Amino acid sequence: QQHEIMKRAIKKQDFNVKEFTVDGIRVLFKPSDKEIISASLYIKGGTENYSKEQEGIENLTMNRLAECGSEKYPKDTFNSLIDSYGTTITVNSGLDMSSVDMNCIKSHWDASWNIFADLILHPSFDETTFRNKRDEAIAAIHQTESDPDGHLNEMVMSQVFKNTRYAKIVQGTEATLNGLTFHDITKYYNSLIEKGKLFVVIIGNLSEEEVKARIAMLKGIHNGGTPLHQADEKPSYDSSTIYKEDRKLATNYIEGIMDAPAPGTTEHTAMKIAMNILRDRLFVEIRTKRNLSYAPSAFLASLKIPYCAVYVTTTDPDQAVQVITDEIKKIRKDGFSEKELQDKKEKYLTGYYMNLETNSALNGTLGKNENLGSWKEALNVLEQVNNLTLQELNNVFGKYTRAIHWVYLGDTSAVDDKVFLQSLD
């Protein structure tokens, strides 16, 4: 019965999502009975859009946009108005895309959209704001370096993904940020806001005509624009490796990176289920039974260059990694159980659809899937999960867990490389 309810809900979403183009701008619009309207401008590319020497430029550009105001609505007026409307306008930037996101109540939709559109078309960039945001970004980099989890993630990207575009640090480095000028940021923003690089997602209690009229206000966005289309070359997963950095910490931080199927495929959904089950097993084996770590984890990163990861913080790295390795070996040999699969199907689908209850969350899901390939992939999850068999689950796990690239931050004298580099067969 639960699956039938979900099936009807997802079909309704499928019929209601409308696709159209206004003045060359691609739009996804989903009518909703809710009074909160969610609107986002997504910019494709992420790390595709800039060189290694300019890493951090998109993140800095977007962060400056969030606070600069516009020609019609200067910074103080901008902030005063959106506060009085209860409207939020935020920005995000990442490995694969960036976005400008707005949430407002319907009664303030017209006024909020006017501000949103003017911000995108005519941002009021100035050197003082630029310098302030650059100083903040550099301070954030120093904080990340001192935060073990943040530094561990940068180590993963720079070492495991060193031959891919993900080796570019989204936040940049102190050197690359100091090398950027006010002119660089302004020029870069103009190169981002091009019709070929962006699309808009709007969800709310509006008519299609209302949406089209508002999108027409963005006609000042110029034509052209494509990401650099750098090759999405995966790391090699032929054999396990370990990269270590010695640091005196209270505990040791460890992440292991494995291969993963492409987003939008049945294998990708199956591997998500598999990693969720592995996470549960690691929690039992590492925390509950052995008390080796407070929060071991396993997950699949749904990116254009996807990967699976296991993560643990522990004072006994060799034992914790041995437990992780043994569990992966056990699954590769014996597979998951039918009960694990059925239980995880129910939990996964329930969580998936509960996460889509707000217009903002649904906007994010549609936007992410559209950037990865097609928004319609978000609607295929129900069928893919329901049809997933135990044999398919075991096959996909075995296929993508051939080797692990380990990244280690902590006391390197506590590490026996042989434990990390052992075969998974």
Side-chain angles (χ1 to χ4, degrees):
Q1 184 181 3
Q2 183 183 24
H3 284 173
E4 288 303 316
I5 293 172
M6 289 179 179
K7 217 177 275 187
R8 289 194 295 272
I10 202 67
K11 284 181 179 179
K12 182 179 179 182
Q13 287 182 2
D14 194 5
F15 288 133
N16 281 353
V17 175
K18 304 175 186 297
E19 302 176 77
F20 48 84
T21 301
V22 179
D23 291 326
I25 298 174
R26 176 165 168 72
V27 183
L28 303 178
F29 166 54
K30 183 185 183 306
S32 168
D33 293 334
K34 297 173 182 175
E35 293 299 302
I36 299 295
I37 298 173
S38 175
S40 294
L41 179 85
Y42 291 96
I43 304 167
K44 300 176 183 179
T47 49
E48 284 189 69
N49 292 327
Y50 49 88
S51 66
K52 177 70 175 174
E53 292 69 30
Q54 281 193 313
E55 61 187 358
I57 190 170
E58 186 160 321
N59 187 61
L60 180 57
T61 300
M62 299 304 291
N63 284 339
R64 188 181 66 162
L65 180 69
E67 295 187 12
C68 69
S70 67
E71 291 180 4
K72 188 175 180 179
Y73 304 97
K75 183 176 179 179
D76 290 342
T77 303
F78 173 89
N79 290 327
S80 176
L81 285 174
I82 63 173
D83 285 347
S84 67
Y85 298 151
T87 296
T88 61
I89 297 178
T90 57
V91 298
N92 289 284
S93 59
L95 293 166
D96 291 331
M97 69 177 180
S98 292
S99 65
V100 188
D101 310 299
M102 180 180 75
N103 286 285
C104 66
I105 58 176
K106 184 180 179 180
S107 59
H108 292 305
W109 160 248
D110 288 339
S112 297
W113 178 267
N114 289 343
I115 296 171
F116 182 73
D118 202 60
L119 176 67
I120 291 167
L121 291 172
H122 308 293
S124 182
F125 289 154
D126 65 88
E127 288 223 34
T128 300
T129 304
F130 161 70
R131 288 194 296 270
N132 289 340
K133 297 308 293 182
R134 186 175 61 183
D135 290 345
E136 288 177 15
I138 291 172
I141 289 170
H142 292 161
Q143 186 174 357
T144 297
E145 290 173 351
S146 62
D147 171 54
D149 275 319
H151 187 57
L152 183 70
N153 182 67
E154 286 193 354
M155 290 168 63
V156 166
M157 293 302 160
S158 64
Q159 296 302 318
V160 179
F161 294 91
K162 60 184 176 183
N163 294 320
T164 78
R165 60 188 180 84
Y166 284 3
K168 301 172 192 174
I169 302 172
V170 173
Q171 289 76 20
T173 66
E174 184 170 1
T176 58
L177 292 181
N178 276 327
L180 297 175
T181 66
F182 173 73
H183 174 72
D184 292 334
I185 296 293
T186 304
K187 181 180 177 182
Y188 186 77
Y189 181 76
N190 291 334
S191 75
L192 281 183
I193 306 301
E194 296 179 324
K195 293 177 182 177
K197 279 186 180 176
L198 55 82
F199 62 94
V200 176
V201 178
I202 296 178
I203 301 175
N205 190 357
L206 301 165
S207 68
E208 185 174 335
E209 291 69 28
E210 287 177 297
V211 171
K212 287 181 176 179
R214 294 297 169 267
I215 297 296
M217 295 172 62
L218 298 175
K219 62 183 178 182
I221 295 175
H222 47 283
N223 295 320
T226 57
L228 298 177
H229 294 297
Q230 300 175 17
D232 287 338
E233 182 182 353
K234 277 188 175 185
S236 170
Y237 292 98
D238 292 335
S239 60
S240 295
T241 61
I242 181 171
Y243 177 81
K244 297 174 289 185
E245 182 176 312
D246 193 64
R247 182 179 290 190
K248 295 187 183 303
L249 298 168
T251 187
N252 305 292
Y253 291 74
I254 308 167
E255 189 162 351
I257 304 300
M258 296 178 286
D259 198 3
T265 64
T266 301
E267 280 193 334
H268 192 80
T269 300
M271 198 64 183
K272 273 195 172 182
I273 298 291
M275 294 304 289
N276 283 349
I277 299 174
L278 176 61
R279 180 188 62 214
D280 292 346
R281 286 196 180 194
L282 294 183
F283 187 89
V284 172
E285 295 297 328
I286 292 177
R287 179 180 174 179
T288 305
K289 290 184 178 180
R290 296 171 176 84
N291 197 30
L292 289 169
S293 176
Y294 178 75
S297 186
F299 60 91
L300 186 156
S302 296
L303 298 165
K304 285 194 172 183
I305 309 178
Y307 63 89
C308 293
V310 288
Y311 166 88
V312 66
T313 61
T314 180
T315 56
D316 192 339
D318 285 350
Q319 187 180 356
V321 167
Q322 187 63 61
V323 173
I324 294 173
T325 303
D326 287 344
E327 205 58 38
I328 292 173
K329 285 182 177 180
K330 180 180 178 182
I331 297 169
R332 285 173 60 83
K333 181 176 181 291
D334 302 327
F336 298 101
S337 71
E338 187 66 43
K339 184 177 186 305
E340 283 178 316
L341 173 58
Q342 296 307 320
D343 287 348
K344 191 55 66 177
K345 278 185 176 184
E346 295 289 343
K347 291 178 183 177
Y348 183 87
L349 288 173
T350 300
Y352 184 84
Y353 292 110
M354 285 182 66
N355 286 338
L356 300 184
E357 287 185 344
T358 67
N359 286 349
S360 179
L362 180 55
N363 186 325
T365 296
L366 293 178
K368 182 176 182 178
N369 280 274
E370 177 68 13
N371 188 61
L372 290 173
S374 170
W375 65 270
K376 293 181 181 178
E377 296 300 338
L379 310 180
N380 295 330
V381 172
L382 178 67
E383 182 178 1
Q384 290 174 348
V385 173
N386 278 336
N387 293 337
L388 180 62
T389 67
L390 185 60
Q391 186 63 52
E392 290 169 336
L393 184 71
N394 292 333
N395 287 345
V396 76
F397 187 83
K399 180 178 178 180
Y400 291 96
T401 56
R402 303 183 307 275
I404 305 177
H405 294 302
W406 293 102
V407 180
Y408 179 94
L409 179 65
D411 180 8
T412 56
S413 67
V415 174
D416 180 355
D417 287 5
K418 292 180 181 178
V419 174
F420 287 73
L421 300 178
Q422 63 187 288
S423 171
L424 296 177
D425 291 323

